[in-house]
Amino acid sequence: MQQEPKNNAMVKIATIIVDRRNLFFLLFVLAIIFCAISSGWVGVENALSAYLPQDSETRISLDLMEEQFTTYGSAKIMVMNITMDEAEDIRDQIEARKDVYMLVFDETTDHYNQYSALYDITFIYPETDERALASLNEIRGDLERYDTFVSTTMGDQSAEVIEKEMQTVSLYVAVVVLAVLLFTSETYAEVPVLILTFLASAVLAAGTNFIFGTISFVSNSVTIVLQLALSIDYAVIFCNRYKEEHQTLPIREADILALSKAIPEISSSSLTTIGGLIAMMFMQFGIGSDMAICLIKAIIFSLLSVFMLMPGLIMIFGGLMDKTKHKSFVPKIPFVGKIDYLTRFFVPVLFLVLLVGAYWMQKKTPFVYGYTQIETPVENEYQLADKMITEAFGAENKAALIVPAGDYEKEKRLLAALEVRDEVDHCVGLSNTEAMGGYTLTDKLTAREFSELLDLDYEVAELLYTAYAVDDENYAKIINGLSSYSVPLIDMIFFLYQEAEEGYVTLDDEMYDTLKSANDKMTIAKDQLQGEDYSRMLIYLNLPQEGDKTFSFLDEIHEIARVYYDGDVYVAGESTSQYDLKQTFSRDNTVVNVVSILAVLAVLLFTFMSVGMPILLILVIQGAIWINFAFPAAFKDNIFFMSYLIVSSIQMGANIDYAIVISGRYMELRETMPKKEAIIDTMNFAFPTIITSGSMLAICGFIIGQGSSDAAICGIGQCLGRGTIISIILVMFTLPQILMLGEGVIRKTSFNVSMPLKMNRESGVLRIDGLVEGQISGRFVGEMHGILYGDVAAFIQSGQIASQAKNEKETGQEGFIEDGDLAKAGPDKTDEDLIKAVPDKEDRDLAKAGPERSDMGSPEEKEAGDGGEES
């Protein structure tokens, strides 16, 4: 093995990992088994509204409704190709069920249209009760001979559909990844090493999500695919580094040296991706933070798998990798570098024009905040049912108005004020819900009116009202007479039923059954519409779920309600949720863009030690983002707002790596090459890395976009795939020209402090260890850690250059060429003579590499000072 500095911490760490690989295998196996089990402990939240800020109206309203009201299970069932007589028979069949609280169906076009019937069913069980969903499934089974479409919010049906879709997507992605790895590999046996490394990291990432309790359906669906696309290149970088070192070193030594070099290189590369993801954590919309944390954790596990598991896998598959080498399928692309050089004056100007146009166009991107205005490439059965019902009977947009409870008269006047508005189809509240005999639930009845309504003896009714007054502590009514004392119908029904149940009032069987039925239905109505502190009214709007008119009318509802109520008034519903999402987007959009740019800028500043370079790189990737979202603006394709926020962060954090590879290599080569040769060599060098990582990210994005029926997930995939392709095109056909024109600015804005270096001039047989810069003439053996017979005029950046005799005298180390050996290795001797003249076995092994090594002769690699090591 090469001689490394004895205090090299990375080499020591790498040696421990490689030599203790069985221990790491055991730890990973135990962790994978645990995570395979714990992945079932993860809860999934399917509602986007759950991630709204806590102080948003929708979040407050949802919390209030959960606390104050009970929402009963409901469903809409459309039965096609039936006559009205058949529709009425079905209605009677459903109404006869004991688990159905209410069924709405009539002969109007709202419920029967073009030989299709629509039944609006409410069950006696709460929405979260499994019995409600079971009842719905029974009804579906009874109607299986008909063409039926069912729309309901009960159950986790959408989650089940998304999970199945993503399983299919993951299968396609696995095939694509395997094909890309085979295409870009140099030995077939490296593919299982890469796959096993990723699978381990994926299982660990998914299995540890339980520490968050619940994650969003978006994170649950796309994290594993994005983890693959964002982090597989870490394993590829390490694998390529190993193959490079293995050209002259045995498997173990190459594994250790490659790992010691890969740890800082890969860690630095991951920082830009993590920096872009961190920006999502600053979103008010909580799903951004949820997804960022899941992805950052996934990337960390990818790094751990590459650093701790993959070295051991290489030791196992190393021999097989040597036996299964094949010709590289990735072509050289010198023509790209030539095109970049020829267009170096024209393309930057064109890019600036395109940049301005893209910025102006993307500001017109049609963002939407709900799913109703987005068409996905595939539709699941539930989306199809909603679509069919909407086409036949129109869309329904329902809002819940929450006001302080306790005043039925105010509620009645408020409902009347809302129903006269053209934007309102109708309203439902306790104060306008018909009960029996033409009375509403909250109409006040006297004892005589109540007795006539229920066919109850007046004397019994009078006694009942007296008891109610006592219970209500309204003694003035007892003293002054009960003839004018009136009580809301719903309250008197509850009181009468309670008295009957406790045996204070005796009713015949028929009357008791009537009372019990009325009590049960009114209880369900009250549970849904009246709580301890608040009342709820349902407003059915003649407006789409989102749009300026809808959002404006929501503000008007608040104004109308505040005419009657001084306390807090809230409006909940899909429209309110989307209105709140729109308001959070305005802030989140700015914050995400600024934070992602600043985070990546900070990483790049310390990477390149220059102000100009990070600005140029960010300008290119930000331009790619603007161009990406100029497409939907140009074609008027609605984009779900969340897709923009997430993709812009990922695109900035991940695609910037492609620009870093090109710019870093180019600036390194420019130390020893003219522009044309440097850019041609740079593009040949960078293309395999870019095509591997970029194609995976782009294809994974497109597969997600085409394979998911969820608008949020679909939008992320489509935008990410398109954005990655645009980034690849710009970094290959625009960034090189910008670098060639802007390298003067890059150098002038560099803040890398150069330490004074002493020029060493030596001749003879010299020992070279470290990083040097200057002219070397003669025959060199080793990787800047070896013996040179010739002349050196160079600056020492690290390490030493010393004559053989001086080095031996000062250090007392053995293993250098003795005087007698020098004669054997004179200038007229062959390389083999020189090798034999080196008594130290390790030095001889290095010498055997000879100057024929592909990484030992180029000027740029001498400049790098590490015999071919990537900068």
Side-chain angles (χ1 to χ4, degrees):
M1 180 179 173
Q2 300 185 80
Q3 292 181 3
E4 291 289 337
K6 296 185 181 299
N7 62 347
N8 191 324
M10 282 300 171
V11 173
K12 292 180 180 178
I13 294 173
T15 303
I16 292 173
I17 293 174
V18 172
D19 290 347
R20 300 289 185 270
R21 57 187 176 275
N22 290 333
L23 172 61
F24 287 100
F25 284 153
L26 176 62
L27 293 176
F28 268 88
V29 168
L30 294 176
I32 288 171
I33 293 174
F34 173 79
C35 288
I37 298 172
S38 64
S39 60
W41 304 344
V42 182
V44 179
E45 175 58 64
N46 297 305
L48 292 175
S49 57
Y51 293 94
L52 283 165
Q54 292 298 318
D55 59 351
S56 66
E57 183 174 23
T58 298
R59 185 71 262 151
I60 295 173
S61 300
L62 292 175
D63 291 341
L64 273 178
M65 290 194 293
E66 183 177 356
E67 174 190 338
Q68 296 277 325
F69 311 106
T70 300
T71 300
Y72 286 83
S74 63
K76 291 181 180 293
I77 299 180
M78 185 175 78
V79 183
M80 299 180 64
N81 303 317
I82 59 173
T83 64
M84 175 56 77
D85 290 340
E86 291 176 309
E88 290 175 344
D89 290 341
I90 293 174
R91 176 198 60 194
D92 296 339
Q93 177 184 342
I94 297 175
E95 268 186 331
R97 296 180 59 95
K98 293 182 179 180
D99 51 10
V100 172
Y101 154 64
M102 182 173 63
L103 183 145
V104 179
F105 175 81
D106 52 40
E107 297 183 1
T108 65
T109 55
D110 290 338
H111 294 96
Y112 186 82
N113 188 27
Q114 298 178 350
Y115 296 100
S116 295
L118 180 64
Y119 303 95
D120 199 339
I121 305 171
T122 303
F123 296 96
I124 63 173
Y125 307 117
E127 188 176 43
T128 55
D129 194 320
E130 293 182 359
R131 291 176 295 177
L133 189 58
S135 297
L136 175 59
N137 290 332
E138 288 181 10
I139 294 175
R140 296 178 69 170
D142 294 339
L143 301 177
E144 62 182 355
R145 66 181 182 275
Y146 299 101
D147 296 327
T148 60
F149 294 92
V150 179
S151 175
T152 182
T153 58
M154 295 189 298
D156 294 328
Q157 297 165 330
S158 60
E160 295 172 0
V161 170
I162 292 174
E163 184 177 356
K164 291 179 181 178
E165 290 174 347
M166 294 312 298
Q167 288 175 354
T168 303
V169 166
S170 299
L171 179 61
Y172 285 128
V173 166
V175 173
V176 168
V177 168
L178 181 61
V180 172
L181 291 178
L182 286 172
F183 177 76
T184 57
S185 67
E186 296 176 353
T187 168
Y188 293 116
E190 74 184 59
V191 175
V193 173
L194 299 175
I195 295 296
L196 288 173
T197 301
F198 171 73
L199 287 177
S201 64
V203 173
L204 294 176
T208 51
N209 283 333
F210 77 93
I211 63 179
F212 305 129
T214 299
I215 62 175
S216 71
F217 71 95
V218 179
S219 300
N220 187 59
S221 301
V222 303
T223 294
I224 186 172
V225 178
L226 292 182
Q227 178 188 3
L228 169 64
L230 293 173
S231 62
I232 190 68
D233 55 331
Y234 303 155
V236 172
I237 290 173
F238 177 38
C239 186
N240 290 340
R241 175 68 72 182
Y242 162 76
K243 289 183 291 186
E244 179 183 342
E245 301 296 340
H246 188 44
Q247 292 178 9
T248 57
L249 296 175
I251 293 175
R252 175 182 173 273
E253 286 74 9
D255 198 5
I256 292 173
L257 189 59
L259 181 59
S260 69
K261 295 177 179 179
I263 289 177
E265 180 181 354
I266 295 173
S267 299
S268 176
S269 175
S270 68
L271 288 178
T272 55
T273 302
I274 293 175
L277 294 174
I278 286 176
M280 293 164 55
M281 299 178 66
F282 289 84
M283 291 169 53
Q284 281 185 315
F285 188 42
I287 209 167
S289 178
D290 176 87
M291 192 170 180
I293 292 174
C294 289
L295 280 174
I296 290 173
K297 179 171 63 65
I299 288 175
I300 291 174
F301 276 115
S302 295
L303 293 174
L304 292 176
S305 296
V306 170
F307 296 155
M308 297 181 179
L309 176 64
M310 189 171 171
L313 294 175
I314 287 178
M315 293 297 296
I316 294 176
F317 286 86
L320 191 58
M321 290 171 66
D322 293 338
K323 296 178 182 178
T324 58
K325 291 182 179 180
H326 61 80
K327 182 179 179 181
S328 175
F329 302 120
V330 180
K332 298 291 184 181
I333 53 169
F335 66 93
V336 173
K338 294 177 181 178
I339 293 174
D340 291 339
Y341 180 76
L342 292 175
T343 59
R344 64 190 183 280
F345 298 112
F346 168 70
V347 167
V349 177
L350 179 62
F351 174 68
L352 288 177
V353 175
L354 181 62
L355 195 66
V356 173
Y359 173 75
W360 175 81
M361 180 63 73
Q362 63 89 33
K363 290 178 70 69
K364 298 183 178 182
T365 301
F367 294 113
V368 294
Y369 308 92
Y371 289 179
T372 57
Q373 299 184 42
I374 298 179
E375 292 187 6
T376 54
V378 296
E379 290 183 334
N380 60 53
E381 60 177 302
Y382 306 106
Q383 290 175 321
L384 181 61
D386 290 336
K387 181 178 180 180
M388 295 295 292
I389 292 174
T390 299
E391 289 179 353
F393 298 98
E396 180 182 270
N397 184 14
K398 180 172 59 177
L401 174 59
I402 303 171
V403 298
D407 194 326
Y408 292 140
E409 289 300 321
K410 283 185 179 180
E411 292 182 24
K412 193 168 188 176
R413 293 198 300 270
L414 175 55
L415 289 169
L418 289 170
E419 286 192 318
V420 299
R421 295 295 301 260
D422 293 336
E423 297 90 346
V424 176
D425 181 74
H426 67 282
C427 299
V428 175
L430 285 180
S431 298
N432 70 348
T433 299
E434 186 175 345
M436 56 182 70
Y439 293 107
T440 65
L441 290 173
T442 61
D443 281 345
K444 291 186 175 182
L445 278 65
T446 63
R448 185 168 297 280
E449 291 170 331
F450 186 73
S451 66
E452 292 174 353
L453 177 64
L454 293 184
D455 196 20
L456 191 67
D457 288 341
Y458 176 68
E459 290 78 8
V460 175
E462 201 170 39
L463 289 173
L464 185 65
Y465 268 62
T466 301
Y468 184 89
V470 172
D471 189 67
D472 196 37
E473 298 184 354
N474 200 336
Y475 303 109
K477 294 298 181 182
I478 301 174
I479 297 172
N480 298 327
L482 296 173
S483 59
S484 61
Y485 181 39
S486 58
V487 179
L489 174 59
I490 187 172
D491 294 341
M492 188 52 68
I493 290 291
F494 289 154
F495 185 73
L496 175 58
Y497 181 73
Q498 179 182 349
E499 295 294 296
E501 284 290 292
E502 293 177 359
Y504 297 118
V505 176
T506 302
L507 303 173
D508 58 47
D509 292 342
E510 183 178 354
M511 176 63 69
Y512 179 80
D513 291 340
T514 302
L515 179 63
K516 185 178 186 307
S517 176
N519 178 81
D520 292 345
K521 291 184 178 181
M522 290 183 184
T523 298
I524 292 177
K526 186 174 182 180
D527 288 345
Q528 295 188 94
L529 300 174
Q530 187 178 51
E532 184 176 348
D533 303 307
Y534 289 89
S535 290
R536 176 167 61 175
M537 309 172 196
L538 303 181
I539 307 172
Y540 293 82
L541 303 174
N542 293 321
L543 295 169
Q545 283 191 359
E546 67 177 291
D548 293 338
K549 289 184 178 180
T550 303
F551 297 153
S552 176
F553 186 66
L554 292 177
D555 292 332
E556 291 187 45
I557 292 177
H558 287 87
E559 294 174 5
I560 295 171
R562 289 194 180 100
V563 172
Y564 302 94
Y565 293 93
D566 297 329
D568 294 330
V569 172
Y570 304 101
V571 179
E574 287 295 333
S575 293
T576 305
S577 175
Q578 292 166 29
Y579 190 22
D580 287 339
L581 290 173
K582 181 180 181 181
Q583 292 175 320
T584 64
F585 175 68
S586 300
R587 172 194 176 275
D588 287 347
N589 186 21
T590 301
V591 170
V592 166
N593 286 329
V594 172
V595 174
S596 63
I597 290 174
L598 291 178
V600 173
L601 179 63
V603 175
L604 295 181
L605 282 173
F606 288 99
T607 299
F608 291 102
M609 294 296 180
S610 168
V611 176
M613 179 68 85
I615 293 176
L616 292 179
L617 300 189
I618 289 176
L619 185 65
V620 171
I621 300 303
Q622 186 61 55
I625 294 173
W626 288 340
I627 294 171
N628 185 15
F629 289 97
F631 275 88
F635 292 101
K636 300 188 183 303
D637 290 334
N638 292 331
I639 293 292
F640 192 59
F641 80 102
M642 186 176 68
S643 303
Y644 173 81
L645 295 173
I646 291 175
V647 171
S648 60
S649 298
I650 294 176
Q651 193 174 348
M652 175 58 72
N655 293 173
I656 197 77
D657 286 347
Y658 314 151
I660 292 173
V661 171
I662 291 177
S663 56
R665 183 70 170 184
Y666 173 76
M667 296 305 294
E668 175 189 343
L669 295 182
R670 279 292 290 131
E671 298 293 334
T672 56
M673 289 185 179
K675 289 183 178 180
K676 184 175 182 180
E677 286 74 13
I679 201 62
I680 291 175
D681 196 316
T682 295
M683 300 314 295
N684 281 331
F685 168 81
F687 182 65
T689 300
I690 294 174
I691 198 64
T692 302
S693 177
S695 62
M696 285 186 187
L697 187 56
I699 295 174
C700 287
F702 286 129
I703 292 176
I704 293 173
Q706 295 298 314
S708 177
S709 60
D710 183 86
I713 298 174
C714 173
I716 291 172
Q718 291 175 338
C719 295
L720 186 60
R722 182 177 61 238
T724 302
I725 293 296
I726 294 171
S727 295
I728 291 174
I729 293 173
L730 288 185
V731 298
M732 292 187 66
F733 294 98
T734 300
L735 177 63
Q737 292 90 323
I738 293 176
L739 290 174
M740 284 185 277
L741 289 185
E743 63 177 88
V745 175
I746 295 171
R747 297 185 190 281
K748 289 180 180 179
T749 57
S750 173
F751 53 85
N752 190 13
V753 179
S754 298
M755 299 299 294
L757 299 177
K758 177 183 177 182
M759 174 69 78
N760 281 49
R761 298 181 183 276
E762 303 282 351
S763 297
V765 179
L766 306 172
R767 177 77 183 196
I768 301 179
D769 286 287
L771 181 62
V772 299
E773 179 179 358
Q775 299 295 322
I776 297 178
S777 175
R779 181 181 294 113
F780 175 72
V781 181
E783 197 177 52
M784 281 306 172
H785 296 283
I787 306 301
L788 172 76
Y789 183 90
D791 302 317
V792 173
F795 294 104
I796 303 175
Q797 296 188 16
S798 66
Q800 66 174 355
I801 301 176
S803 68
Q804 171 65 28
K806 179 181 179 182
N807 200 330
E808 183 175 355
K809 180 179 179 180
E810 293 181 354
T811 64
Q813 293 181 358
E814 298 180 355
F816 297 114
I817 303 175
E818 302 294 341
D819 291 341
D821 297 321
L822 296 177
K824 300 178 184 178
D828 57 341
K829 300 299 180 180
T830 65
D831 291 343
E832 189 65 27
D833 294 329
L834 180 59
I835 293 170
K836 292 177 179 178
V838 183
D840 190 320
K841 181 180 183 303
E842 291 189 357
D843 286 338
R844 287 200 302 272
D845 291 338
L846 291 173
K848 291 178 182 179
E852 299 83 11
R853 279 189 56 188
S854 61
D855 61 351
M856 291 188 57
S858 65
E860 70 274 18
E861 289 157 349
K862 292 177 182 178
E863 165 61 21
D866 202 10
E869 176 186 349
E870 294 181 8
S871 174

